[in-house]
Amino acid sequence: SSLLMTTLSLHTVSLSHPSTSLTTSLLLYQGISLSELKDVLKSSLKIHENPVGLYDSSKDIHFPLQVLSSVPSYFSSKTYAVVLEKGEELRLGMCTLTEVSVRSMAKLFRSVADSNLLITPHQYNSIITHLIPPSHSYTSSLVHSHLCSLYDLYKDNPSVEVLLTMLSSLSNTDKGTKLRAAFEIYDADGDGFITRDEMRRYLSTLFRLRFKE
């Protein structure tokens, strides 16, 4: 066993899932191919997304996966979080929003909005921090930063209605759930219908979010 370790230069590396508490220890050899390394990471951490690097939360440093392949010995001293492609990382992290109902979000926003139901940047950031607190988890911090930056899509203080539409559309749920959420936001009298003007505002909010106009 010790002869094999010496011949192949094997190193034990501790890695964690980007958004859960799952960790794993891998025995890696120097020069392992990127494709093989990605397959090992996906299998051991039970992820379907594409891993692209590692994250050291204590120093806020990112390492491309190529560094782990070339110098696995550098990563043998502590646990590093696996980093996924940004779009996939965000999509995974949005599961947190899925756990928050539209009614709960509406209650939070309306409790701090002014008489015209408008939200200031400070109020919005406070609510996002309440929903998804920034942490040493790379995914959580990325999602928190992304959601806070979306406020800048609006030149004036956006309404509760607009912000709820934006957040509910980003949640990691199926289309049917998102449509029901839209009705919850715009169907103020609860009669199961929304007006043409309300539909226009809903679609306008979605287009602004998707195309960042």
Side-chain angles (χ1 to χ4, degrees):
S1 175
S2 59
L3 177 61
L4 181 62
M5 291 277 286
T6 303
T7 303
L8 295 179
S9 298
L10 296 174
H11 304 278
T12 301
V13 179
S14 180
L15 302 172
S16 66
H17 190 283
S19 60
T20 71
S21 58
L22 178 64
T23 60
T24 186
S25 293
L26 301 177
L27 204 56
L28 302 178
Y29 63 88
Q30 188 172 354
I32 182 173
S33 70
L34 284 179
S35 59
E36 183 180 357
L37 183 55
K38 288 179 180 181
D39 288 342
V40 169
L41 291 176
K42 288 181 178 181
S43 174
S44 58
L45 290 173
K46 298 178 173 57
I47 54 178
H48 300 290
E49 298 81 10
N50 189 36
V52 294
L54 301 181
Y55 177 62
D56 181 353
S57 60
S58 64
K59 297 180 179 179
D60 192 26
I61 298 176
H62 296 80
F63 299 90
L65 213 55
Q66 182 66 52
V67 179
L68 176 60
S69 168
S70 303
V71 198
S73 59
Y74 178 86
F75 301 93
S76 60
S77 60
K78 57 185 175 182
T79 301
Y80 292 81
V82 172
V83 177
L84 307 178
E85 285 183 345
K86 187 173 181 180
E88 296 174 335
E89 193 87 50
L90 283 170
R91 188 163 54 251
L92 186 64
M94 287 303 174
C95 290
T96 307
L97 273 184
T98 304
E99 299 166 3
V100 183
S101 71
V102 171
R103 284 178 181 164
S104 297
M105 285 195 286
K107 187 175 181 180
L108 279 172
F109 277 111
R110 285 171 182 147
S111 68
V112 300
D114 63 18
S115 58
N116 294 316
L117 292 181
L118 300 179
I119 301 289
T120 67
H122 176 72
Q123 291 168 334
Y124 175 75
N125 288 343
S126 296
I127 290 175
I128 293 302
T129 299
H130 176 78
L131 294 175
I132 304 179
S135 69
H136 287 305
S137 162
Y138 178 70
T139 299
S140 177
S141 297
L142 181 65
V143 171
H144 179 271
S145 175
H146 178 67
L147 291 178
C148 286
S149 70
L150 289 176
Y151 187 96
D152 296 333
L153 292 175
Y154 304 93
K155 295 179 181 178
D156 302 316
N157 292 350
S159 67
V160 170
E161 185 181 85
V162 166
L163 293 175
L164 285 175
T165 300
M166 179 179 73
L167 293 177
S168 64
S169 70
L170 288 171
S171 63
N172 198 5
T173 56
D174 58 79
K175 291 181 180 179
T177 301
K178 290 180 180 179
L179 284 173
R180 286 191 293 274
F183 267 88
E184 275 194 53
I185 296 167
Y186 288 94
D187 184 20
D189 59 6
D191 65 354
F193 295 92
I194 57 177
T195 66
R196 179 178 296 179
D197 183 57
E198 288 167 339
M199 177 60 75
R200 180 189 59 77
R201 294 203 307 274
Y202 171 68
L203 293 176
S204 176
T205 300
L206 289 184
F207 286 139
R208 180 177 295 191
L209 176 64
R210 298 300 181 192
F211 300 107
K212 294 181 168 38
E213 294 179 346

